[in-house]
Amino acid sequence: MMNSHTNSDQVEVLSVQECWECLRSTDIGCLAVVIDDGPDIFPINYAVEHSAIVFRSGEGTKVDAVMENPRVAFEVDGFDPETETAWSVVLRGKAAPINDTDELLDTVSLSVTPWQPGPKSRFIRIVAEVVTGRRFQVAESQLWDSALSTASRAPRE
């Protein structure tokens, strides 16, 4: 982790390379889009393709949102129980449907298998513009204990 640095809060800022390693280590994340009445977030399965994220979707809100406002954010998190460290990576970029036949054929070879059944014929690529990440030691739960932690609570009515 030579390229990373740590601030006084013991949060390690990940290098771009480390961010991509984290992105490649899992296959589910959250896509943030803007729809008519504001932001929305969707869990998606994805694959990394060079410096882009590719996901597969059916017609609907995600595809409509990307077509209307291609500026999106994508976020993944992870936890290593052996070292008790957590990490978070956020990718911001521009999303666009993959329509070119040759590109579609290449994309089909990626392992992008949606969890939800139904037709998922649209492939979307998010080209990364900014990728940032953090890694940190998970705090002991007792750190957050206070006098209120053990206080009796009134029953709910």
Side-chain angles (χ1 to χ4, degrees), residues 41-97:
I41 299 175
F42 298 92
I44 60 169
N45 298 81
Y46 71 95
V48 173
E49 177 192 57
H50 308 293
S51 59
I53 297 295
V54 174
F55 69 95
R56 190 172 174 175
S57 181
E59 297 296 332
T61 306
K62 288 187 293 288
V63 173
D64 292 346
V66 165
M67 298 301 282
E68 284 192 33
N69 188 350
R71 309 275 311 156
V72 300
F74 179 74
E75 187 257 350
V76 294
D77 298 307
F79 175 71
D80 182 345
E82 289 183 23
T83 61
E84 294 189 355
T85 56
W87 56 265
S88 182
V89 171
V90 174
L91 177 150
R92 291 188 312 245
K94 192 171 182 181

Side-chain angles (χ1 to χ4, degrees), residues 1-111:
M1 314 287 169
M2 297 274 191
N3 295 337
S4 301
H5 65 278
T6 304
N7 70 20
S8 61
D9 295 329
Q10 299 301 309
V11 174
E12 178 185 2
V13 177
L14 301 178
S15 69
V16 172
Q17 179 181 344
E18 289 170 315
C19 289
W20 283 105
E21 289 171 9
C22 289
L23 285 162
R24 286 183 180 91
S25 73
T26 186
D27 61 1
I28 189 162
C30 291
L31 173 69
V33 298
V34 175
I35 57 175
D36 293 338
D37 59 349
D40 209 345
I41 299 175
F42 298 92
I44 60 169
N45 298 81
Y46 71 95
V48 173
E49 177 192 57
H50 308 293
S51 59
I53 297 295
V54 174
F55 69 95
R56 190 172 174 175
S57 181
E59 297 296 332
T61 306
K62 288 187 293 288
V63 173
D64 292 346
V66 165
M67 298 301 282
E68 284 192 33
N69 188 350
R71 309 275 311 156
V72 300
F74 179 74
E75 187 257 350
V76 294
D77 298 307
F79 175 71
D80 182 345
E82 289 183 23
T83 61
E84 294 189 355
T85 56
W87 56 265
S88 182
V89 171
V90 174
L91 177 150
R92 291 188 312 245
K94 192 171 182 181
I98 301 171
N99 295 320
D100 180 75
T101 303
D102 289 336
E103 286 186 63
L104 277 172
L105 291 173
D106 289 342
T107 304
V108 169
S109 68
L110 294 172
S111 180

Side-chain angles (χ1 to χ4, degrees), residues 152-157:
S152 297
R153 295 192 169 109
R156 295 178 187 238
E157 294 183 25

